[in-house]
Amino acid sequence: MFDHAYGSYMKYAYPADELMPLSCRGRVRGLEPNRGDIDDSLGKFSLTLIDTLDTLVVLNKLDDFEDAVRKTVREVRLDNDVVVSVFETNIRVLGGLLGAHVMADHLRQRGERMQWYEDELLHMAKELGHRLLPAFNTTSGLPYPRVNLRYGVLNPLSRTGTESDTCTACAGTMILEFAALSRLSGEAVFEEHARKALDVLWEKRQRGSDLVGTVINIHNGDWVRRDSGVGAGIDSYYEYLMKAYILLGDNVYLERFNIHYSAIMKYISQPPLLLNVHMHNPTVSVRSWMDSLLAFFPGLQVLRGDLKPAIETHEMLYQVTKQHKFLPEAFTTEFRVHWGQHPLRPEFAESTYYLYKATGDPYYLRVGQSIVEKLNAYARVPCGFAAVQDVRTGTHEDRMDSFFLAEMFKYLYLLFSEKSQLPFDIDDYIFTTEAHLLPVSLSTTQPPCQGNNTVRTASFPQSNTQYIASLEHTESLVCIIVFNPISIIQLLQEHKGVYRVKLVAEVSQTPEEEEVVPHIVQLISPPFLGRTVLTAGPAKFGMDLTKQEHGVSSASPYTACGPIDNAAEVKGHIALALRGDCMFAGKARRLQEAGAIGVIFIDHREGSNSEETPLFQMVGDGDSTTDISLPLVFLFSREGAVLTAALEEHHNVDVLLLPKERQLGHEEEEEELRGEQQSQQQYCTKASENESTEPCSAAVLSPLDSSQSPNSNSGPDTNP
Ligand code: DMJ
């Protein structure tokens, strides 16, 4: 089937953007009657070829892939004087180039193929990224819906730039491709713009319902259409929040997704239906029909781990396809056709694939089989596969959209294939909304050169001097990584050969050769009594840790990146502060000023823990840190959660911050323990006299003898 579709495109249509499968020729914009908005996908850049590249690898057609990449590099131009949709160009062409680059790079590294490849596709992706960037030149940061590939948006020759609105999905479906481009190319600007657009959409959500509308004004951020669903106009905005978290590992995206998801499940999902509601009055449905784009949603629910509603909605969609052969573009809640067109959309196959992978239920293979059979029976024509104009009559339309090759064949092929048959490990990748493959390893690639903390001086180890010197001649702005401490430094060229040095990020790793002395946070007040020991990372600055024993309380704001508003509470305590948003040293200074006597930093990455992630040493901000005299340690989030749970239950918890080797209660420290038992006993007695509600159990009297510590109040013990 794929050979028939792709072969027909290459034979009858290439280098045109799309195949016209009934006329057996290519669709060239301007030469065919204008179809309105859908023609905005056509940029005279051989759209279908680029959108298909990584499908060739998935289907193990590696010779074809190599040929197609050569063709793309040699023959495709991206500087055409044509107005294109920013959204479609991003997901299909930029995504296509990036997915293909990632695959080409993978094959090249395996050493068998693509040895001639020198990142040409990535260079093309970068060029295209720059051609899309003018769209972001709005006061809000939401992108214009269209750009002229050659003239941008504001140039009088561009024939665009007068629009005031865009769809939510159009503005909110940039982050995967733009972040991947930034991280692969080293140019931060793409990720920054895509992120900003997402920030605006988040800010503009309806605060009562946590839903977003379908169309938004790009200049003032006002909602233009306030109906809210998970299909047309919004769909991939939600998809990209979830997948941005997976691809980039940034919790902010997951938190936003989760808030939206709860709202969707509260108002929009009425299993098995997914209805559109008014964002301000979400208990009222705004229409009684659903659109076929929402068929992707069960797949997203699988990624979210919410199988039950995914299975129910998918089953509902399957019943609609049984009745009408394909999913009509729109169908009523009684499954009647509302709009009969079916442009060979892949969303139902996509959800079927996810459900099969999650459940292993062969039922989904039979669903896949029915999709294949219907395509062959009702869409296959001599020159490819033709869209269905109306599912009720079965008439065809002279179009075969590029997503048919990019997505439909990938999901169907993957549904029926074993992991071992693929030329790469599918679990290392995530699908974009156009099913292009991006490696999840990008999450550990730092976004290049963000932030703006300027340092006055920096010294570079001898070994790096040569590297810097060679960069001087090529770039006016470079990022380099300087070890010991690890920091990402940006060199800004002020005049030729003269650089200003800017420290832009601390990196949460320590070079292997530098040994990190493991530290601990040991909870010593009742009921913990030293048995709860949390592995912690040290800091390269602040107090050299000796035994400290203090209550813990949280800073507000919890990140400690702004003025501390609960200084009175923090004063005299060890403060808790969340990692992220600003430098460790800055947080420490603010908390020190507020009167804290120590800081425990807690990782902001959900699920991180000291068993799976190597400990690292926190580094300063490039300035002198001799003014910071507090003891400082770092906990991964799982260990941090133990501490915060303890605090929640007991309000004040005494802890020791100290190097692990000095952990209280080590066998070799029996003597010290006995002394400690004594003091705990005193503490307990004293507390009882004060009518404390803290339990004073056998464990208190014998805290280190596990046979005598059946105390159910003893709190979580992470060090049995
Ligand atoms: C694709 O281009 C993408 O999946 C997009 O997100 C919306 N749907 C079309 C295919 O239906």
Side-chain angles (χ1 to χ4, degrees):
M1 289 171 73
F2 173 82
D3 286 344
H4 180 61
Y6 178 65
S8 298
Y9 165 73
M10 291 309 284
K11 184 166 171 195
Y12 302 113
Y14 179 82
D17 284 314
E18 277 180 0
L19 170 69
M20 295 169 70
L22 302 182
S23 326
C24 302
R25 65 166 193 269
R27 180 183 297 283
V28 179
R29 201 162 160 191
L31 297 186
E32 301 296 332
N34 187 338
R35 299 177 301 170
D37 287 357
I38 54 169
D39 279 347
D40 290 344
S41 306
L42 313 177
K44 301 188 175 173
F45 35 32
S46 303
L47 171 68
T48 302
L49 175 71
I50 295 178
D51 219 4
T52 310
L53 291 173
D54 57 4
T55 306
L56 291 164
V57 182
V58 172
L59 271 64
N60 233 322
K61 294 179 164 292
L62 302 184
D63 289 338
D64 292 326
F65 175 69
E66 195 149 357
D67 286 351
V69 172
R70 276 190 212 277
K71 270 204 167 61
T72 305
V73 170
R74 283 192 200 139
E75 296 166 20
V76 172
R77 291 191 65 115
L78 301 167
D79 62 348
N80 307 310
D81 177 12
V82 47
V83 175
V84 293
S85 152
V86 173
F87 165 79
E88 298 290 357
T89 308
N90 175 57
I91 65 168
R92 302 195 200 197
V93 186
L94 185 56
L97 290 169
L98 289 169
H101 163 70
V102 164
M103 287 295 132
D105 185 43
H106 171 74
L107 295 173
R108 175 177 59 182
Q109 281 183 31
R110 289 205 318 196
E112 296 149 28
R113 296 175 172 274
M114 303 298 295
Q115 298 303 305
W116 57 270
Y117 180 66
E118 288 178 337
D119 295 345
E120 289 89 343
L121 295 171
L122 179 59
H123 298 311
M124 290 178 74
K126 207 156 55 161
E127 182 195 333
L128 184 59
H130 281 289
R131 293 186 183 283
L132 294 179
L133 273 185
F136 289 85
N137 198 355
T138 58
T139 35
S140 68
L142 295 169
Y144 278 99
R146 293 178 193 84
V147 287
N148 183 305
L149 285 173
R150 185 175 300 165
Y151 297 113
V153 172
L154 298 178
N155 187 312
L157 295 173
S158 70
R159 302 188 307 281
T160 189
T162 51
E163 302 98 333
S164 55
D165 306 334
T166 197
C167 73
T168 304
C170 303
T173 312
M174 307 295 292
I175 188 73
L176 295 189
E177 292 80 3
F178 269 40
L181 180 57
S182 279
R183 292 170 189 224
L184 290 167
S185 70
E187 287 187 34
V189 64
F190 307 109
E191 184 168 347
E192 283 167 4
H193 278 96
R195 192 185 175 112
K196 174 78 206 304
L198 282 179
D199 290 346
V200 177
L201 292 174
W202 175 247
E203 276 302 305
K204 296 290 174 186
R205 75 193 182 282
Q206 213 289 320
R207 302 295 170 116
S209 66
D210 285 321
L211 295 172
V212 289
T214 319
V215 176
I216 192 164
N217 182 301
I218 53 172
H219 302 300
N220 58 23
D222 288 347
W223 290 105
V224 178
R225 277 187 51 192
R226 291 154 199 244
D227 48 320
S228 186
V230 296
I234 303 183
D235 48 1
S236 44
Y237 162 61
Y238 293 135
E239 179 184 359
Y240 269 35
L241 284 179
M242 179 72 199
K243 290 184 175 175
Y245 166 68
I246 297 171
L247 185 74
L248 308 172
D250 187 335
N251 268 339
V252 167
Y253 297 122
L254 180 63
E255 282 155 16
R256 290 180 188 175
F257 174 80
N258 280 338
I259 289 171
H260 283 313
Y261 187 75
S262 302
I264 292 167
M265 295 314 283
K266 190 165 167 192
Y267 302 117
I268 291 171
S269 166
Q270 296 173 32
L273 310 179
L274 289 162
L275 296 172
N276 274 43
V277 298
H278 194 289
M279 64 188 278
H280 289 94
N281 190 4
T283 49
V284 179
S285 301
V286 291
R287 59 190 192 212
S288 58
W289 49 269
M290 292 169 272
D291 62 71
S292 67
L293 287 169
L294 61 71
F296 88 103
F297 198 70
L300 187 60
Q301 290 182 305
V302 170
L303 274 186
R304 167 68 166 62
D306 206 358
L307 263 84
K308 189 168 180 284
I311 289 169
E312 289 168 355
T313 300
H314 178 273
E315 182 55 28
M316 177 271 290
L317 296 167
Y318 187 37
Q319 294 309 321
V320 180
T321 67
K322 277 186 171 165
Q323 221 163 304
H324 302 292
K325 302 185 182 71
F326 299 104
L327 271 189
E329 278 295 70
F331 48 93
T332 67
T333 45
E334 288 88 38
F335 307 164
R336 279 198 298 273
V337 173
H338 182 76
W339 178 15
Q341 193 188 28
H342 174 73
L344 309 180
R345 288 198 190 279
E347 284 78 4
F348 180 58
E350 174 183 353
S351 283
T352 306
Y353 160 75
Y354 277 105
L355 274 164
Y356 178 62
K357 292 296 155 181
T359 62
D361 187 339
Y363 177 73
Y364 294 108
L365 295 178
R366 291 196 290 277
V367 177
Q369 186 184 350
S370 85
I371 298 173
V372 168
E373 285 168 358
K374 283 173 181 145
L375 284 172
N376 277 326
Y378 306 110
R380 194 176 177 125
V381 293
C383 295
F385 287 81
V388 178
Q389 194 170 42
D390 193 321
V391 295
R392 288 164 293 199
T393 59
T395 45
H396 285 142
E397 240 191 302
D398 204 1
R399 64 187 270 203
M400 184 180 87
D401 289 66
S402 67
F403 51 68
F404 184 57
L405 288 161
E407 296 192 64
M408 182 72 92
F409 287 108
K410 252 184 219 134
Y411 290 123
L412 287 178
Y413 184 84
L414 288 169
L415 175 64
F416 293 105
S417 55
E418 297 297 328
K419 267 180 76 170
S420 56
Q421 293 170 320
L422 302 174
F424 56 88
D425 185 348
I426 189 78
D427 296 335
D428 291 342
Y429 298 84
I430 184 150
F431 291 110
T432 67
T433 192
E434 188 76 0
H436 293 303
L437 290 154
L438 296 176
V440 287
S441 60
L442 288 177
S443 66
T444 51
T445 312
Q446 286 285 326
C449 295
Q450 286 170 331
N452 53 9
N453 302 296
T454 307
V455 290
R456 284 181 292 280
T457 56
S459 60
F460 298 105
Q462 198 58 36
S463 57
N464 280 335
T465 320
Q466 211 186 338
Y467 180 53
I468 295 163
S470 70
L471 287 168
E472 278 181 19
H473 301 289
T474 54
E475 305 273 353
S476 60
L477 187 155
V478 294
C479 284
I480 57 167
I481 294 176
V482 178
F483 290 96
N484 200 16
I486 298 187
S487 311
I488 295 179
I489 303 281
Q490 194 177 47
L491 294 181
L492 302 166
Q493 191 173 41
E494 295 203 314
H495 319 288
K496 201 169 176 2
V498 178
Y499 288 82
R500 186 157 58 81
V501 176
K502 193 168 139 189
L503 178 71
V504 289
E506 58 195 349
V507 177
S508 59
Q509 282 152 13
T510 301
E512 272 160 29
E513 61 272 18
E514 194 181 333
E515 207 197 313
V516 178
V517 179
H519 278 54
I520 53 165
V521 174
Q522 187 165 20
L523 280 58
I524 55 165
S525 52
F528 306 102
L529 305 171
R531 285 167 304 156
T532 299
V533 178
L534 309 169
T535 302
K540 233 185 151 62
F541 57 101
M543 181 191 284
D544 189 10
L545 271 171
T546 51
K547 199 165 127 183
Q548 299 287 319
E549 196 171 326
H550 295 292
V552 179
S553 58
S554 300
S556 164
Y558 193 25
T559 53
C561 287
I564 306 297
D565 354 291
N566 64 338
E569 230 174 278
V570 158
K571 195 165 181 209
H573 288 85
I574 294 176
L576 297 190
L578 195 66
R579 181 187 187 187
D581 291 352
C582 61
M583 311 289 268
F584 288 126
K587 293 171 197 254
R589 278 196 191 95
R590 270 184 287 276
L591 288 165
Q592 179 167 293
E593 222 162 88
I597 52 168
V599 184
I600 299 172
F601 294 103
I602 297 182
D603 199 3
H604 57 338
R605 289 169 308 140
E606 206 176 35
S608 67
N609 62 83
S610 64
E611 275 163 29
E612 288 166 15
T613 318
L615 278 183
F616 66 90
Q617 184 155 249
M618 293 176 285
V619 295
D621 55 5
D623 273 333
S624 158
T625 45
T626 49
D627 58 318
I628 303 173
S629 53
L630 294 175
L632 309 161
V633 295
F634 176 86
L635 291 179
F636 287 111
S637 58
R638 204 186 291 166
E639 284 83 6
V642 174
L643 181 58
T644 48
L647 257 183
E648 220 161 86
E649 204 181 336
H650 303 283
H651 307 297
N652 223 340
V653 177
D654 286 346
V655 296
L656 298 177
L657 311 182
L658 69 171
K660 191 173 174 60
E661 58 181 30
R662 295 189 35 221
Q663 175 184 328
L664 196 63
H666 266 176
E667 277 157 15
E668 64 272 18
E669 292 170 354
E670 271 312 24
E671 266 318 302
E672 193 180 342
L673 290 181
R674 251 168 245 129
E676 204 48 41
Q677 284 180 1
Q678 185 73 29
S679 72
Q680 297 294 2
Q681 198 168 359
Q682 282 161 7
Y683 185 102
C684 181
T685 313
K686 226 169 97 201
S688 306
E689 277 166 7
N690 288 344
E691 292 179 0
S692 158
T693 51
E694 290 291 337
C696 182
S697 67
V700 173
L701 301 173
S702 185
L704 301 156
D705 180 350
S706 56
S707 63
Q708 291 183 40
S709 52
N711 184 2
S712 60
N713 288 316
S714 60
D717 187 346
T718 57
N719 194 21

